[in-house]
Amino acid sequence: MLNNLTECEEGDGGPNSQGDATSKESSPFINSSTSDVEKSQQYDGKNMALFEEEMDTSPIVASVLSSLANYSNLTQGSKEHEEAENNEEARKKTVQAPGMGTIMGVYLPCMQNILGVILFLRMTWLVGVGGVLGTFVIVFMCCSTTMLTAISMSAIATNGVVPAGGSYYMISRSLGPEFGGAVGICFYLGTTFAGAMYILGCIEILLIYIVPAAAVFKMEGLEGAEAEAALLNNMRVYGTIVLSLMSLVVFVGVKYVNKLALVFFACVILSILAVYAGVIKTSFDPPDFPVCVLGNRTLVSKSFDICAKTIEQGNATVTTKLWRAFCDSEFLNATCDDYFTNNNVTQIQGIPGVTSGILAENLFSMFAEKNTFVEKRGITAVLDPEAPLTNTNRYVLADITSFFTLLVGIYFPSVTGIMAGSNRSGDLQDAQKSIPVGTIMAITTTSIIYMSSVILFGACVDGVVLRDKFGEGVNGNLVIGTLAWPSPWVIVFGSFFSTCGAGLQSLTGAPRLLQAISRDGIIPFLRVFGHGKANGEPTWALLMTGCICEIGIIIASLDSVAPILSMFFLMCYMFVNLACALQTLLRTPNWRPRFKFYHWALSLLGMSLCLTLMFLCSWYYAIIAMVIAGCIYKYIEFCGAEKEWGDGIRGISLSAARYALMRLEQGPPHTKNWRPQILVLMGLDGEQNVEQPRLLSLTNQLKAGKGLTIVGACVEGTYLNNQPQAQKADQSLRKLMEIEKVKGFSQVVISSNLRDATSHLIQAGGLGGLRHNAVLVSFPKNWKHAEDHHHCRNFIEIVRETTAAQLALLVPKNISAYPSNGERFTEGYIDVWWIVHDGGMLMLLPFLLRQHKVWRKCKMRIFTVAQMDDNSIQMKKDLMTFLYHLRFDAEVEVVEMHDGDISAYTYEKTLVMEQRSQILKEMHLTKNEREREIQSITDVSRGSIRRKNPSNLHPQRSIAEESVTGGGEEKPEEEVQLIQGKNATPTPTSPTSPTAPTPAAMSPGEEVQMTWTDEMEKTSNPAVANPESIKDMFNMKPNHANVRHMHHAQRLNEVIVKKSQEAKLVLLNMPGPPRNRKGEENYMEFLEVLTEGLNRVLLVRGGGREVITIYS
């Protein structure tokens, strides 16, 4: 029984079925296909027969649990590259499960990245300039920012597997490719400039504290700007050399970087321990670091040997080197500098120790302008304000102008590096446990180190030494080194190696980040950087990183580079916080982080702190960084690859859309906000291709008012059988919409017949308050042909349904003659024939069209028809006033139509129309026979008209311009229909066919019978059986209302053709269809007559509401 069932259902769920049309990815969720026999054997006895047919797409749970648990699709990092270099056979081996724990995998890498150059080179200066309190506030703010960011990052990192790419991966998958790409590039630039900063720190230690004699540009004897320029040039030369060497090391292989990483980190730890040991030692045995102060100004130690003006040698007073520096000779009667003469020289202890109470003196800030003196607090100096400054090179001077926000920008890079753990998620044994714990532990540890350093430096070191950035007053020693125990060289070499290691780490990480962004393909012009060596090393990305890093080297000042990278890191951290806050607030079902100690308020606080710090550091750098990120965002949005990563921005869009739709539901839009929300009904051919693409061109030209566009199409059949055709049709619509630049939605409806499908589209298009209020459909081309008669009926039903639904209707006739979006009209008119008031649609549409470049240079003319008893002059004045209030620029003309006699041509034309309709109604002929019958009647009737009205063969329509008035007995609806109708060429109905022999003696009934086939004669059709009924048909008189409609349609057409034949477009009120089903063909005839002789016509029916207003 089961086997029979399987045979019957074969193909519905097999490997070649529609459901498996897409290629299978490397995933544990999809099994390889097996034959039915294998399946039945595989699951025999496992109580799975009921699900046999679904095993290809939904495998049995027991078979996939192992794959799910051990599934790894991570981008491999530097560890795998090392293995590939060391052992070529490693590529063939299965990659072992990573085994690093929290300490080695997260805690120590974060510590190594956070502690670095700023701590050793600038921390003491920050405390001296900003004061203990001010610097503590800066440190606390920055550490709080990184802690809050780490909490948000931990939540994101534990919400699933995070492959290589770290913060870029987290942000892009949380906020989408646009934000991810923008922030990823910012993070990459920040990491690259961090490498430049570390290299500059390395060179500063080398040239100032280790080997000053190695300077290429000698600074001896130079002052002010010259000395500064020489220092910067030395930094550039040596920085470029070091950058080249480091890049070469990274290119050769990251294994050397990884092997040296622990050594460099050990240097950092030893240096910090040496500082703490020195602080402890100062409490009972302060080191001897004397500082010489003249008045309250700190002296450069190399300008003297003894901190005194004179010394006693034997019984004589001898001047010192310091005297000779400020006086013109070594004798006591020499002329000396006024400040030197008026102030005493004092020697103070540079490191008085923890117990000295110096902390109180260092509590508050002491900012200074560039090239001002580093002065000692608490000492008064005698100063002549009018005396010129001399011998400034003998004093320790401020090298830059300092202020609070500058200190923030310089300090913040010292707390970056918190992403080091998340970047190594692929190497961790349990990333979801290690990343939060390790990162938060590292930030806590480093925060304690930084905060304690601020207090201890302020408590141990004198302010003049702290503000001496390069240690010029303490014999050129590194200031933090003067505090270290057992020797300053521990700090000097420790900081040198730590900066080298940090620079190598940056040059290793930045290219991999750029490679990850490039391989995602979201930024097309970066794709070249996704390539690398055979083992995956990012060669091109490394080259790009080196070039960008060289920009930082050329800047050459560590204090100038630090705020730049602060911007990029702060922007990255800001978006990490934003991602966490959004995911939490949106409550997406996939948001299930294992790290539970987070809250959206903390994330928003962290984001606010990041934004505040950005503008505190440097408002212009912040703006530049935002502009760069914004440009990248817009570039990805318009040119980048479209990615669907289930990001939070899409969730925001859905929430915002839901909120907006709910607001729209509260009521219809005000007249001032009305704009055409268009449903475009497209026809499809047998291959599901669009038949009339110019409809979308017209839609694009109408969409200057923006709003909603739904492009709909219908497929005949059932949903189950015709789904592929519907998908193909939808693809055709989307492709054409993209070509025509129509922004909107496509919708394909499948129904058993096209009539119902079109009705479904009109009824169900849109959602909630965002629904279409206008329908655009092309006028049926060959509606007279019998095989296309259903198109005519469908069209009339569309008119009825839009009227019932109170939707506006736009019907372009001769749509193929409409301009494409690439065409331009350099001149011409858009003519509006305003016959009946439709809420202002006829006024609004030309205005919208003229917003588009195709119609921009066309002028607008408005024609209206005056009744017999109307004052046409007053009507014109009123219309011009109305247009002035509407702010429309248009020419106005009032057309007077006099009521003339109904011509024989019109009478005969109406008779022919009615006869044909009657024949089609009473004679149930086949399609081919109906065509032959209509043709024979048409031809004979034309001959009859020629005989009766020879002057009207090609009637030259002389127009008496007067209004068309209906009889008092007619209803108002009929008048409206009459004024707006026409669309049929004359199809007279006369009794003989010229193709058949018709003797003159034959009666009309016999002549008609001769056009029929023998088969028809044998049928039981009552019209055939009773020729008298057809005789009556040809002897009948036309309906008076139809005659009047035809007469008025013909007269109105003559006026329109005369006035608007050269117009680029004619807009015209469209009459409503007959209320009953009788006379539908007559309605199409009226429309045909009304628009005859015009190239481009847009028939318009209003939606029953006002769409324009004179009010603001």
Side-chain angles (χ1 to χ4, degrees), residues 1069-1112:
N1069 287 117
M1070 181 180 181
R1075 289 177 178 248
N1076 52 27
R1077 305 293 176 185
K1078 184 179 179 181
E1080 289 180 344
E1081 292 82 1
N1082 300 350
Y1083 173 68
M1084 297 301 293
E1085 284 281 3
F1086 295 145
L1087 293 181
E1088 194 74 53
V1089 171
L1090 186 63
T1091 57
E1092 192 172 13
L1094 298 172
N1095 186 25
R1096 300 186 193 93
V1097 184
L1098 184 61
L1099 297 170
V1100 180
R1101 279 183 64 77
R1105 61 162 295 164
E1106 295 291 331
V1107 299
I1108 54 175
T1109 178
I1110 64 173
Y1111 299 106
S1112 61

Side-chain angles (χ1 to χ4, degrees), residues 902-917 941 945 986-989 1036-1048 1050 1082 1085-1086 1089:
I902 298 174
S903 66
Y905 175 80
T906 302
Y907 190 88
E908 192 72 25
K909 193 178 184 74
T910 309
L911 179 61
V912 168
M913 176 188 73
E914 292 186 353
Q915 287 174 345
R916 187 188 65 167
S917 299
S941 186
I945 291 172
T987 41
T989 322
M1036 70 181 184
K1037 292 182 179 181
N1039 181 277
H1040 178 63
N1042 285 342
V1043 172
R1044 282 197 315 102
H1045 290 178
M1046 183 66 75
H1047 172 64
H1048 292 166
Q1050 189 174 337
N1082 300 350
E1085 284 281 3
F1086 295 145
V1089 171

Side-chain angles (χ1 to χ4, degrees), residues 79-91 535:
K79 181 180 177 182
E80 286 72 22
H81 294 314
E82 281 183 40
E83 293 175 354
E85 284 186 346
N86 290 333
N87 188 0
E88 294 182 358
E89 295 180 0
R91 298 177 190 172
N535 63 349

Side-chain angles (χ1 to χ4, degrees), residues 12-24:
D12 292 342
N16 297 324
S17 66
Q18 186 65 31
D20 288 334
T22 56
S23 59
K24 296 180 180 181

